[in-house]
Amino acid sequence: MKFDFDQPIDRAASDSQKWQKYAGRAILPLWVADMDFAAPPAVLDALHARVAHGVLGYSKPMPSLNEATLAYCARRYGWSVDPAWLVWLPGLVTGLNVAARALGEDGDEVLCATPVYPPFMSSPVNQRRRTVAVPMALEGGRWVMDVTALERAVTPRSRALFLCSPHNPVGRAFSRAELSAIADFCVRHDLVLVSDEIHCDLVLDDLAHVPTATLSPEIAARSITLMAPSKTYNVPGLGCSLAIIPDAKLRAAFARAAAGIVPDANVLGLVACEAAFRHGEPWRQQLLAYLRGNRDVIEQTVARGELPGITLTHIEATYLAWLNIEELKLTSAHAFFEQHGLGFSDGAPFGAAKDTYVRLNFGCTRATLVEALARLKRALAAR
Ligand SMILES: Cc1ncc(COP(=O)(O)O)c(C=O)c1O
């Protein structure tokens, strides 16, 4: 079956955060990380069937969902997960906050490498921990984790490292060797590794995603892996994600931290998740091909010198392009692009210096992307 990612779907009058932000304004929304595509038909069919049942009571993950999840982890990553390790959650940011709350005490520290998805920095602070942001390094045109800098940043109060793998916003799919270095660092300093792997099924290059918890029994015992069907299968509004926590004590601490404040995963989210994990692969493969095409359009436009003053590193994973705009020397870059009809994410909340980066979400139709790049060229010419 061929899935049509070129089909435009009008989201302007819907409940979309992404589109409502610019309602009534001629600005293309290219910010928050959801895609403008319909979810896979297999997911929509499962949701229709569930709604047709009519009763939408409190949820409890079905045994068949757990089975589908374990089979997915085994098939996709060769990861043998015990059903007892699964903790279903209504969102992945919830998982980051619960993890921060579960680890250590008020004033303890959580390390994260920047730039990074903003809740990595806000979750520890929300939970009365301190965020220690350690810049990543650019080596030979590639973003890498700077383990030497992480070593320097560790203190006796460091409790955890929050890792984004694959990485939002820099688009890296870290290699086994890179992940092993991070895992060793955590073991050496007795840190829990909170590994946000929400983008793990959106690897565009021919690289395998390696869940960090699979690297060794030592790292598995100190890891909280956060995953979700939401990015890959485009169901982020359904509130369903999961933590995989092999260590029983860590799992109990996580459960205690969540008690009374974290609701159950959404009943429709659970249904969507099972359908995506069981039947989503043909759709995912075609999605990846389409996103690869979008990624190539962006990279080739930059390589041809059509966006003077803008650079980017190769995007291995995600549907997010982290555009370096430093050379443009704009003041209020984000507002400047909005004036030219482009609603990017500002780089500053990700930890970038002011007016040095914007993030472009290319989870959109090719036509939207081409229009965005045309606007961007005009914006640069009009400076
Ligand atoms: C790395 C990362 N983690 C978490 C989330 C959000 O997850 P959720 O909507 O389940 O809270 C996003 C969304 O963009 C993300 O990029």
Side-chain angles (χ1 to χ4, degrees):
M1 181 177 180
K2 175 97 179 69
F3 305 104
D4 185 4
F5 296 99
D6 284 316
Q7 177 68 45
I9 300 176
D10 185 2
R11 303 182 71 195
S14 78
D15 46 24
S16 158
Q17 253 184 47
K18 187 179 178 184
W19 284 80
Q20 273 191 16
K21 177 168 182 188
Y22 295 118
R25 298 163 71 190
I27 298 176
L28 287 175
L30 303 158
W31 64 290
V32 68
D34 71 27
M35 301 188 283
D36 291 337
F37 311 129
V43 169
L44 296 177
D45 288 349
L47 288 170
H48 283 301
R50 180 64 188 86
V51 169
H53 178 265
V55 185
L56 299 166
Y58 292 120
S59 66
K60 181 170 166 62
M62 303 75 75
S64 60
L65 169 62
N66 288 340
E67 272 162 33
T69 305
L70 304 191
Y72 191 80
C73 288
R75 195 165 67 238
R76 294 265 318 115
Y77 331 112
W79 188 10
S80 176
V81 172
D82 187 303
W85 302 352
L86 302 180
V87 182
W88 291 95
L89 294 166
L92 208 129
V93 170
T94 305
L96 292 173
N97 277 273
V98 173
R101 189 181 168 91
L103 303 171
E105 293 166 4
D106 288 6
D108 280 350
E109 293 165 0
V110 173
L111 297 163
C112 69
T114 53
V116 77
Y117 178 59
F120 276 58
M121 291 176 280
S122 56
S123 305
V125 176
N126 291 343
Q127 308 307 329
R128 304 206 223 189
R129 274 53 174 164
R130 260 176 28 83
T131 302
V132 178
V134 179
M136 295 176 79
L138 258 176
E139 265 177 20
R142 224 159 85 115
W143 287 95
V144 294
M145 300 287 284
D146 188 342
V147 179
T148 314
L150 286 169
E151 292 280 358
R152 278 198 300 269
V154 172
T155 77
R157 298 210 70 174
S158 306
R159 292 288 167 265
L161 173 71
F162 280 12
L163 172 71
C164 191
S165 172
H167 195 278
N168 168 10
V170 307
R172 282 295 320 283
F174 298 114
S175 69
R176 181 175 287 275
E178 288 176 289
L179 294 170
S180 293
I182 296 162
D184 289 350
F185 164 79
C186 290
V187 171
R188 230 175 7 258
H189 296 286
D190 193 19
L191 304 178
V192 171
L193 178 59
V194 179
S195 194
D196 175 338
E197 303 187 8
I198 196 169
H199 293 280
C200 65
D201 296 321
L202 290 168
V203 178
L204 305 177
D205 282 353
D206 191 15
L207 303 166
H209 172 72
V210 180
T212 43
T214 61
L215 289 168
S216 70
E218 291 76 24
I219 196 64
R222 56 176 62 252
S223 70
I224 298 174
T225 304
L226 299 168
M227 289 184 165
S230 50
K231 297 286 140 178
T232 308
Y233 302 98
N234 208 32
V235 288
L238 288 182
C240 174
S241 65
L242 69 149
I244 304 179
I245 312 176
D247 183 74
K249 271 203 197 130
L250 197 50
R251 212 163 51 238
F254 190 88
R256 268 196 307 278
I261 51 174
V262 177
D264 294 329
N266 180 289
V267 65
L268 296 180
L270 297 172
V271 167
C273 183
E274 178 170 349
F277 285 174
R278 283 189 191 278
H279 309 298
E281 189 58 12
W283 185 92
R284 189 182 77 93
Q285 286 302 334
Q286 290 182 41
L287 170 75
L288 290 180
Y290 195 85
L291 293 177
R292 233 174 257 134
N294 278 1
R295 185 260 326 255
D296 292 348
V297 167
I298 298 169
E299 292 190 356
Q300 287 159 9
T301 305
V302 171
R304 282 195 301 267
E306 291 176 27
L307 301 174
I310 295 187
T311 57
L312 86 163
T313 58
H314 176 58
I315 302 159
E316 296 170 338
T318 77
Y319 48 79
L320 307 164
W322 185 235
L323 303 178
N324 182 330
I325 55 159
E326 209 169 345
E327 257 184 54
L328 299 174
K329 299 210 180 330
L330 297 168
T331 42
S332 307
H334 184 252
F336 167 83
F337 289 118
E338 283 185 340
Q339 280 152 22
H340 289 85
L342 294 160
F344 295 138
S345 298
D346 185 9
F350 292 76
K354 189 173 172 326
D355 297 325
T356 57
Y357 282 90
V358 289
R359 194 190 69 173
L360 182 166
N361 172 350
F362 59 88
C364 58
T365 64
R366 186 75 40 86
T368 301
L369 178 63
V370 167
E371 170 61 19
L373 293 173
R375 290 185 189 192
L376 188 50
K377 283 181 213 173
R378 287 199 294 275
L380 298 181
R383 259 185 331 122

